[in-house]
Amino acid sequence: LTAAKIAEESNNKKDFALTNITIGDVYSGMGNHENSVEYYQNGIKQLRETVQVQGDSINLASALLNAGDEYFNAGKYEKAMSLFYESSFICNKIKFRLL
């Protein structure tokens, strides 16, 4: 949370987005679906904006995959599949393989 605050205060949108995704990962690991989804949604929204400017599609694809995993684990399969497909589309487009 401190890292997110520092990134936001320094107006570093990419780092702020990535920090939000990481916080979403932590909440996911803790089993807190509601907070995890909130941070994933915010981080993904921010990453979409930075991708248009900086072209960082790999982090967006990874974030979509992680968020999809959270939805899958929560039994929300349609939402999970939507995120998985978008992540896959991005990876195929840039010829990148997520492991």
Side-chain angles (χ1 to χ4, degrees):
L1 295 173
T2 301
K5 183 178 179 183
I6 291 169
E8 183 177 32
E9 288 173 353
S10 67
N11 201 29
N12 187 326
K13 293 179 181 184
K14 179 181 173 184
D15 285 349
F16 186 51
L18 293 174
T19 304
N20 279 324
I21 296 299
T22 302
I23 294 169
D25 292 340
V26 171
Y27 277 119
S28 179
M30 294 169 49
N32 188 329
H33 176 71
E34 185 176 311
N35 283 346
S36 178
V37 166
E38 179 181 339
Y39 279 95
Y40 281 138
Q41 288 175 341
N42 289 335
I44 289 169
K45 179 182 176 198
Q46 295 156 351
L47 279 176
R48 288 185 194 284
E49 294 169 5
T50 63
V51 165
Q52 293 176 1
V53 175
Q54 299 173 355
D56 188 8
S57 299
I58 294 171
N59 281 320
L60 177 58
S62 178
L64 291 165
L65 186 65
N66 289 358
D69 188 56
E70 173 59 28
Y71 279 104
F72 182 84
N73 291 332
K76 298 180 180 182
Y77 303 118
E78 285 186 39
K79 181 65 176 178
M81 290 304 296
S82 171
L83 294 167
F84 291 152
Y85 282 128
E86 185 178 359
S87 176
S88 177
F89 175 79
I90 291 168
C91 288
N92 288 333
K93 185 175 179 180
I94 62 173
K95 296 181 177 28
F96 181 78
R97 184 172 172 208
L98 283 173
L99 301 174

